Structures are given as C-alpha cells and as structure tokens.
Amino acid sequence: MPVLTLALIGLIGGAVTGISPCILPVLPVIFFSGAQSARQRAEGAVAVAEKPPSKWRPFQVIAGLVVSFSLVTLFGSLLLSVLGLPQDVLRWAGLVVLVLIGVGLIVPRFEHLLERPFSWIPQRNPDASKGGFALGLALGAVYVPCAGPVLAAITVAGSTGRIGWDTVVLTTTFAVGAATPLLVFALAGRRVAERVGAFRKRQRGIRITAGIVMITLAVGLVFNLPQLLQRALPDYTAPLQDKVNNSQPVRDALDLANLTNDQNKDLSKCTVGATELQSCGTAPDIRGIQQWVNGDPVELSQLRGKVVLLDFWAYSCINCQRSIPHVTAWDSAYRAAGLRVIGVHSPEYAFEKEPRNVIDAVAGFGIRYPVALDNSLSTWTNYRNRYWPAHYLIDATGTVRHIKFGEGEYDVTERMIRDLLREADPEVTLPAPTDTADTTPNTGEITRETFLGSTKQVNYAGTGRYTAGDAAFTFPAQQPDGSFALDGAWTLDTQNITPTSTEARVRLNYRAKEVRVVLSGTGTLTVNTPTGTRTISVSGTPRSYEVITTPSVQSGAITATASSGVALFSFTFG
C-alpha cells in the first residue's frame, strides 16, 4: 500500500474522529489553553504582570498531543510490557500531570515550585506559555479517541510489535487529523483572548478557570464521566465514519477484507452445521480486540487442554439474543469440567462499537465469560465469518472441530461439547444436559430481518428512490407481503431513518410470531397492530423493542408513527 494512500486514510480517519462526540470533553481544556496569557515575572516576585497570549501556545499544545498520542499508541504497550508495568500507567501519569498543571494555574506559588526543578534550563522570563507542549503531552496520554478501523489497526500493530514505516505514517497522520479540529479551538481561544476586552482584563480569572477545567477533566476521566456524555449524545459522525471505514481502499489498507490466509485456510474443511465432529485446522488467533469485558485479554494458546467455544455475536441482533441463553447455560454447566466460552462481539451497527453499550448488554444478558470487543472486525475476518451468531468449537489441542452459523441445533452443539470434554479428560464427570428452551423460529415461515438504513435496506416496496438524504414518500396502492414502505417526510441515513414531519409513517407487512424494532433517541413510537394500538416509549441508546407477539406464526400489517427524535434501525422477527 503506497505511503501517500496510508497517509490520506490516516488523515481522513483522524479528521472524522476529531469532529465526533468523543472529542467534546477535551474542548474546554483546549480552548482555555489558547486563551491563557503568559506571566511576566519580576525579580523576587511570583507574578506581577501578564503578557498577551502566546501565538505559539496553541501549536505547542497540539504538537505535544500528536507526539504523545503517537508514541503512547505505538510504543506505550510494548514499553510497559517490557518494564512489567500496568497498561494504564501512562494514562494515570497524564492525569496527574493535568491535575498539577491545573493547580499551578490556580495557585501561582505552586506553579513556581513546579518550575524550580527545571530552573537550570537557560531561558529568559519563564512563563506559562512555555508549558503548552507539556500540557499537550499529558492530553495525548489520556485522550482516547472514538474507536474505528484505523485506530484498531494502529492499536493492533502497537500491541503486537508489528510496527513499520506504514504504521508510523498511519498513526502520525491519524493523530494530526484528529488534532486539527482541536487546533482550531485552541486558536479560537487565543483569538478571543486577544480581541475580547473581558478576557484581556481578567486574565487572572481565566487562568483560574482553565485550572479548574483541567482538574475537572482529570477527575471526570478517572470516573469515566466523559463516556456518559458521549452516550447521551447521538453519534452525528456515524454515517460519515461508515462511508470512510467501509470503503474498499480503507478495508484493503487495514487488512479488513475477508481474505484467506495461512491461519484460516483450513476452516473450509469443515461442513457448516455438520452433525459429527470434524477437523478444520488450528483455530485462528483472536486479534484486533479493542477491549475485553469480564476479564483480562485471552489468547487461545493459553487455553490448550481446555475445550473452547467462540461465540460471534452483536447485542442488538435478535438472533443472537435468542442464542445467548444457550451459551450462558453451557458456560455455567460445563466450566468446571473444562469448557471455556469466549464471546467475540463483532458490531453490525456503528452504535454497537460503543463499549459502554456492550458492557450494559453483557450485564443485562447475564454473561459471565470474557467478551472481546472486535470493533475492527479483525477476528471476524480472521475466521472468515459471515453470520450473527456463529459458533466455533475448538478442542483441547487447539483444533477447530465444529462450525455452526445462525440459530438452532443447540442439542447438536451441546452433544459435541460433551464429546470434546470427554475426549480431553476421559474421567471427567459431566452434569446432565442443559434444558434451555429452543425458541428458534422457522426462518422459512417468517419475514426476513428488515433493515431501514439506506445502505442496508431490504424488503423496501415503496415509491421513489431509497437513498440517503431528505425525501417525501407515499404509501403504494399495493404492498407485497414481507415488505415495508414509507409515507410522509423522512431523513434517510446509512443505518437508520428519522421522521421530519408529524405525518411520517412506516407500514410493514409481515409473517411472524413476534415482531421487534430497533430504536434509539427520545420520544415515542405509536403502532397500529392487528391486536390494537400501542405506544412504545423510547429512551437512550439503540435497543430492541417488542411490537407484537402472537401465539403462533401469523400474517399481519402494522403502521408505525415515530415522534421527532426517534430513529428506526430495523425490524426483526421471531
């Protein structure tokens, strides 16, 4: 991959991150860093006058952030591993520095004490403007941008030690791209300080405010409060991120294309859904994981002697939701006998990449086994996977012995788990088979999952082109079974649709026992169903809501009206 192409991908990926909600918590610090004046120190005094804001301070802060973020991301993990230190040492060091700088801005004498160890450095009139680079270094160590394929590729390269010029270029350009919007805010702070009289006259108050803001950010980061802010705000950059991250050049550059490699080439020896154990080669590595839930990172090589079940899932996927009770039951029943379950959360939607959403889902589903956040789909592609859910059963020698895509046939999978446990330890005592009800619907009898986003839509049977943007629709005179149509004014995004008028409606013809809808935002969805009208209250991040449940599979039609502020992602059926 040409260096210029990688640099462009890094810049674009970083720039999109730099305008996303995850940038908001650091904006006040960046703004006030540009607005601070420099102190003019008189001989024998701590501070007697102020100089205008340094024209170089904003650039110093951003340069420090770029350098720090790049070095920490690429080499921080390796360095800490060599030194045997916890992986969050650099983050905590950055938080301490932020607090110290903040206190120094509030208490000039304390800042004077901080400067004493560096008094041997020859400089005239040492002042606060010289601390811009140090502030940037601290921010780079604590700044965690929104996850995405570019950042995931950088993180994987840094954590595995596979660092080359291509990775350095990608990392540096990503950092520059993400920091550019921050530089705009820093320059804006300097401009305000230069032009607004209140800022010029109250520089002492500005310095105190900046110090309080820095300390507040540090405390907030300790308690993960910025993540609550990010969750409360819609990810307005999600469509743009999808267009960038899912483009073929980006996928090729970041090794996200689903290519056969030496690790996964033997998986094709397995017949998916076979009723007997097979041998499909050594299990590919779990790689590119952004974060682990319920424990420390897990390597398959560490689990030799154990039977391993890899469960690929996504938390809003209705098929996965019906599969999870079986997986958690197997974990509880067979863990003592040598089974290790590993969940690989591979997001289908952009909102499923948010760690807090996944953590909440893990707790809600009662999952106690480790879950890997495969946000870059690196492990997904390393297994050449295609489905949610998907189960890969690995024996005690590390060989893949069974592959199952989709729901159902849980009794077959459980029988194979028991066979492999006995194979690993002939003397093992196994409990009775689990008795979890199989609620898998007959997919041949029900409507297929219906996506509403412009790039993923299926089953659309309305009038007009179904493309991203604002458009007005009209229900067709005749609508086929198993389809949906729109009426009124709507905004179509790549992953969801939102109403732009009070008359906006969606009509769905379906065949199923259960109909659910994935919604987000704040408001209501009023649904006319064959059994009556009901109103669904919508609040928070995207999740699945029940629309109608009947005793058996039936054909029907529903018409839904969403209030302003509600986004519709998909209909799922059971």
Side-chain angles (χ1 to χ4, degrees), residues 237-247 349-350 353 455 494-495:
T237 61
L240 180 58
Q241 290 181 28
D242 288 341
K243 290 181 180 179
V244 173
N245 297 333
N246 293 328
S247 65
Y349 287 117
K353 296 180 180 180
T455 59
T494 57
Q495 296 194 22

Coordinates of all heavy atoms in Angstrom, one line a residue, residues 237-247 349-350 353 455 494-495:
T237 N -21.5 11.6 13.5 CA -20.5 11.3 12.5 C -20.6 9.9 12.0 O -19.8 9.5 11.2 CB -19.0 11.6 13.0 OG1 -18.8 10.7 14.1 CG2 -18.8 13.0 13.4
A238 N -21.5 9.1 12.6 CA -21.6 7.7 12.2 C -21.7 7.4 10.7 O -21.0 6.6 10.2 CB -22.7 7.0 13.0
P239 N -22.7 8.1 10.0 CA -22.7 7.9 8.6 C -21.4 8.2 7.8 O -21.0 7.4 7.0 CB -23.9 8.9 8.1 CG -24.7 9.1 9.4 CD -23.7 9.1 10.5
L240 N -20.8 9.3 8.2 CA -19.5 9.6 7.6 C -18.4 8.6 7.9 O -17.7 8.2 7.0 CB -19.1 11.0 8.0 CG -17.7 11.5 7.4 CD1 -17.8 11.6 5.9 CD2 -17.4 12.9 8.0
Q241 N -18.4 8.1 9.2 CA -17.4 7.1 9.5 C -17.7 5.8 8.7 O -16.7 5.2 8.3 CB -17.5 6.8 11.0 CG -17.0 7.9 11.9 CD -17.1 7.6 13.4 OE1 -17.0 6.4 13.7 NE2 -17.3 8.6 14.2
D242 N -18.9 5.5 8.6 CA -19.2 4.2 7.8 C -18.8 4.4 6.4 O -18.2 3.4 5.8 CB -20.7 4.0 7.8 CG -21.2 3.5 9.2 OD1 -20.3 3.0 10.0 OD2 -22.4 3.6 9.5
K243 N -19.0 5.5 5.8 CA -18.6 5.7 4.4 C -17.1 5.6 4.2 O -16.6 5.0 3.3 CB -19.1 7.1 3.9 CG -20.6 7.1 3.7 CD -21.0 8.5 3.1 CE -22.5 8.6 2.9 NZ -22.9 9.9 2.4
V244 N -16.3 6.2 5.2 CA -14.9 6.1 5.2 C -14.4 4.7 5.5 O -13.6 4.1 4.7 CB -14.3 7.1 6.1 CG1 -12.8 7.0 6.2 CG2 -14.6 8.6 5.7
N245 N -14.8 4.2 6.6 CA -14.3 2.9 7.1 C -14.6 1.7 6.3 O -13.9 0.7 6.2 CB -14.7 2.7 8.6 CG -14.2 3.8 9.5 OD1 -13.1 4.4 9.2 ND2 -14.9 4.0 10.6
N246 N -15.8 1.8 5.6 CA -16.3 0.6 4.8 C -15.9 0.7 3.4 O -16.3 -0.2 2.6 CB -17.8 0.5 5.0 CG -18.2 0.1 6.4 OD1 -17.5 -0.6 7.1 ND2 -19.4 0.5 6.8
S247 N -15.2 1.7 3.0 CA -14.7 1.8 1.6 C -13.7 0.8 1.3 O -12.9 0.4 2.2 CB -14.2 3.2 1.3 OG -13.0 3.5 2.1
Y349 N -23.8 -2.7 13.7 CA -24.1 -1.2 13.6 C -23.0 -0.4 14.2 O -22.3 -0.9 15.1 CB -25.4 -0.9 14.3 CG -26.7 -1.4 13.7 CD1 -27.5 -2.3 14.3 CD2 -27.1 -0.9 12.4 CE1 -28.7 -2.7 13.7 CE2 -28.3 -1.3 11.9 CZ -29.1 -2.2 12.5 OH -30.2 -2.6 11.9
A350 N -23.0 0.9 13.9 CA -21.9 1.7 14.5 C -22.1 1.9 16.0 O -21.2 1.9 16.7 CB -21.9 3.1 13.8
K353 N -20.4 -0.4 18.5 CA -19.0 -0.3 18.8 C -18.7 0.5 20.1 O -17.6 0.5 20.6 CB -18.3 0.5 17.6 CG -18.3 -0.2 16.3 CD -17.6 0.6 15.2 CE -17.7 -0.1 13.9 NZ -17.0 0.7 12.8
T455 N -28.1 2.2 3.1 CA -27.1 1.3 2.5 C -27.4 -0.2 2.8 O -26.7 -1.0 2.2 CB -25.7 1.7 3.0 OG1 -25.7 1.5 4.5 CG2 -25.3 3.1 2.6
T494 N -27.4 6.2 6.6 CA -26.9 4.9 6.1 C -27.4 3.8 7.0 O -27.5 2.7 6.5 CB -25.4 4.9 6.1 OG1 -24.9 5.3 7.4 CG2 -24.9 6.0 5.1
Q495 N -27.7 4.1 8.3 CA -28.1 3.0 9.2 C -29.5 3.1 9.8 O -30.0 2.1 10.4 CB -27.1 2.9 10.3 CG -25.7 2.5 9.9 CD -24.8 2.1 11.0 OE1 -25.3 1.7 12.1 NE2 -23.5 2.2 10.8

